[in-house]
Each structure stands twice: as C-alpha cells, then as structure tokens.
Amino acid sequence: MSGPLQWRPVLPSASTVTAAGFSAEAPEAALDALFLPFESGGLRWPADGRVLFLRARDGQRLRGVAGRGWLCQQSFRPFAGALERGGLRVGEPGADERFPLVLLLPPRQRDEARALYARALRHAEADGVVLACVPNAEGAKSAEADLARLAGPVRSLSKHKCRAFWVALASATVDRGLLDAWRALDAPRENAAGYFSRPGLFAWDRIDPASALLAEHLPDDLRGRVADPGAGYGYLAAQVVARCPQVEAVDLYEAEARALEPARLNLARAVHAAGRAVEVDVRWHDVTAGLPRRYDAIACNPPFHQGRADLPELGRAFIAAMAAALVPRGRLYLVANRHLPYEATLAARFGEVRTLALRDGFKLIAAGSVRA
C-alpha cells in the first residue's frame, strides 16, 4: 500500500455527547496508539484512501487523518452521533464490501471482541491489513493473542499504556474454521434465563437482579401505552406484556443497536405467549435526547455508568426525559442501585415519590403526579 491520505482539517469537538453525561471524550490515548504504526513507518495508508473503522470513536486525532474514503461503524447511538457531528461518514459496510485497511477498537467482552475480529477479516481485502488497539488495562495482551490465534503472527507497538497490533492478510494464515466459529459468536442466542441476547449487552447472559425486582412489582393495572427506556435485550418490556394484561402498546428505546434484534425476538415471543394483540416498537435511540411519544406508564432500569465509571447524571437525565414523556396521570417505575442520588431529581419532577422495595443493594421507586 502506498500514497497519502486526503487530509481533513481538525474541527472543534464537544466534551459530551449528550446532556446525560455519556462521555464524548475521545479515547485519545487509544487513537494515538492506533495510528502509531503509520507514524513509525510500519504501515502505509491505502493508496485509494478507503478505510473501514469498526467501533470508531470520535476525536481530534481521528478527524485529523480521516478522509472521504473512510467509513466509521459505531453501534452505540451517542458515540455514532459524535462521529457524525465531527463530519465523519458513519454507517454499516455492505455484506460484500471490502477495504484495504480495517481499523478496530475491540470491546472488553471477549466473545464480542472475537466476533469483531472475524468481522474485520471478512471486510478486509485479500492483501489488506487489520489493525486493532486495546488499552493495557483492558486486556491488550489477550486481545493481541486472540487476533494471532485467528490470523497468524501479528506485529505490535505500544504507546500511552495501549497496544496497537496488526496482521497483513497477504502473508496471514487465517484459521477458517475458527473464523466461522467466531463470526457465529455475535448471533442472538438464548441465555440461561431463556431470553435472546448476545455477548457484550448489559447482563447479556442472565436476568439482571435489579430488573427482576422491578418486574416482580409491576402492577397488573397498568394500561395503555408503556415505554421501556434503556431496554437492553427487552426483558422488562417482555415482563410488562406478560404481567399487565391491559397494556396495549410497548415501546422499547435502546442506544446499543446490537440489542435491537434480540429485543424484537423476545417481544415477539412475549406477545405470542400472552395471546393478545400488543403493539411493539423497538427503536435505536438516545433517551437523553427525549422521547417522541407520551406514555401512560414507564418501567425503567436506567444505565448509570459508561465502562467502569459511574455517571449518576446519566440516570438523572433519563428521569428528566421520562417525566417529560408521561401523561399528567402517568406513572414511573424505576429501579436503581441503592447509593445513586436520584431522590432530589424525582421530587423535583413528581408530586408523589414512594420507595416500593429495597433488596440486594437496589431500590425500586414509584413516582406519579408529574409536575408541569
């Protein structure tokens, strides 16, 4: 590969993706390390400028090198929005689309990461390069070993406590059987509780105990249209269908696009089991941007962290969005870790706030009488 990129000017960046506190702070250390092989001369940019960046994250470092031939893939809606606002082309590659260079920032969950390596190889040209970067604290050595296991010997460089590692496919020895097996890791599958899920989703292989607590206390007199913001693979919404026979419609909102297919499968199964017509809508959506409909009730286990960092302002932003979406006599049922300081936010938005249950470090709160 040879030839320069068409350079894009660096644009100013926002410090947050949403008012909720999803960090839009670019992973500049990881991006710096990712591009180190080009700075050191170990790699050259594709002559035609075509690059696929899987799980791309916005940042000045990225916007300084990305050209018109780049395609940035990102399944988490707030991060995708940050890339779009940075002037980058965001989307999904076609099934048969191939690139001379595929970049990726592998996730922490190992099966999810292995499926992403397999996807990267599928979208790389036969003589292309696959380049990944992982922080040392997030398992860089294991991640590098996985790519080597799949495609043969890799080269690597380290910077800023991150490791960049890559394979040139022209000389690679790809294990085709392992490639197929790892590609299949991302397919929706039933977890131990019998719900469709996939690796990397929140509580993907089980029922989250906080959500289970909320489900147990769902009143059977809920009616009309109900929302489940931050729905994940759809457990709570499925429980609403099963336990609340007067509910006519359920809307699921989830920022992680990988959760949408399992959620649709779980809701279709729940509606069939209920034996009645229930309208279901599953949307890829950042809840902190507001909800597009009004609801008679909302059941929610809101996210409160990004990675390992607690972001209680994220839950508070969910509360604000949900209060704005409820009809005047609407009801909110919210479950959260006991230590999270949501009471003041709830009291400011609702005339009635009650703690229904405390268990295993979680609190279940019911709120009504929305304040104008």
Side-chain angles (χ1 to χ4, degrees):
M1 298 184 300
S2 62
L5 277 179
Q6 295 183 351
W7 297 92
R8 176 188 296 273
V10 174
L11 303 174
S13 64
S15 61
T16 57
V17 171
T18 70
F22 278 121
S23 174
E25 300 265 343
E28 293 294 351
L31 289 175
D32 279 348
L34 180 67
F35 299 130
L36 184 62
F38 300 99
E39 297 169 356
S40 69
L43 289 175
R44 289 184 291 177
W45 296 106
D48 63 6
R50 293 187 307 110
V51 177
L52 172 63
F53 192 171
L54 298 174
R55 301 296 175 87
R57 289 293 304 277
D58 182 46
Q60 289 188 356
R61 193 70 179 82
L62 172 61
R63 282 179 267 129
V65 300
R68 287 191 296 271
W70 285 51
L71 176 62
C72 294
Q73 180 274 336
Q74 174 55 253
S75 60
F76 188 58
R77 191 67 191 93
F79 295 168
L83 290 162
E84 290 166 347
R85 289 190 295 276
L88 297 156
R89 185 165 66 102
V90 181
E92 296 289 334
D96 297 323
E97 198 169 2
R98 302 288 185 270
F99 295 80
L101 174 63
V102 180
L103 309 175
L104 62 153
L105 296 176
R108 188 189 304 268
Q109 209 284 333
R110 198 164 192 181
D111 280 354
E112 182 186 5
R114 286 173 167 176
L116 192 66
Y117 291 139
R119 185 181 187 190
L121 265 64
R122 185 184 73 179
H123 287 295
E125 293 181 350
D127 59 350
V129 169
V130 171
L131 167 64
C133 185
V134 177
N136 293 340
E138 296 182 10
K141 288 186 178 180
S142 295
E144 180 180 355
D146 275 348
L147 182 59
R149 182 181 170 196
L150 180 63
V154 301
R155 296 178 60 188
S156 65
L157 291 171
S158 296
K159 183 180 181 181
H160 299 317
K161 299 181 180 179
C162 298
R163 182 184 295 259
F165 47 95
W166 68 95
V167 60
L169 297 184
S171 57
T173 54
V174 176
D175 185 327
R176 296 295 170 182
L178 193 61
L179 181 69
D180 290 341
W182 284 9
R183 283 178 62 180
L185 290 174
D186 194 47
R189 69 183 84 163
E190 287 191 359
N191 62 19
Y195 286 86
F196 288 102
S197 184
R198 61 185 359 145
L201 302 182
F202 172 68
W204 75 275
D205 57 350
R206 63 193 185 281
I207 295 174
D208 172 62
S211 295
L213 177 64
L214 197 164
E216 290 171 18
H217 288 81
L218 283 170
D220 60 10
D221 65 344
L222 289 187
R223 63 180 65 239
R225 183 175 290 274
V226 177
D228 177 4
Y233 63 75
Y235 166 76
L236 266 179
Q239 289 294 304
V240 168
V241 172
R243 296 171 181 261
C244 307
Q246 299 178 78
V247 167
E248 300 169 353
V250 179
D251 293 347
L252 290 75
Y253 297 96
E254 173 52 46
E256 176 51 62
R258 297 177 62 252
L260 303 184
E261 184 180 359
R264 291 188 180 101
L265 293 170
N266 289 323
L267 267 293
R269 177 181 284 178
V271 171
H272 178 76
R276 70 180 196 279
V278 181
E279 178 187 335
V280 173
D281 189 12
V282 179
R283 297 192 183 193
W284 189 43
H285 186 72
D286 178 1
V287 171
T288 66
L291 299 178
R293 285 173 168 164
R294 304 277 277 177
Y295 293 96
D296 299 292
I298 296 177
C300 182
N301 180 3
F304 66 92
H305 57 80
Q306 181 182 312
R308 295 180 177 177
D310 274 10
L311 293 173
E313 61 270 29
L314 180 54
R316 289 193 285 264
F318 262 63
I319 291 169
M322 293 186 293
L326 282 167
V327 300
R329 297 178 63 85
R331 290 183 280 174
L332 169 65
Y333 294 88
L334 178 144
V335 67
N337 286 52
R338 205 164 178 173
H339 72 277
L340 292 171
Y342 292 158
E343 282 73 11
T345 303
L346 287 162
R349 301 305 300 260
F350 295 91
E352 300 174 5
V353 179
R354 295 181 298 133
T355 299
L356 299 182
L358 297 170
R359 190 175 77 196
D360 300 330
F362 302 108
K363 57 188 174 185
L364 173 61
I365 299 173
S369 301
V370 181
R371 299 187 189 276

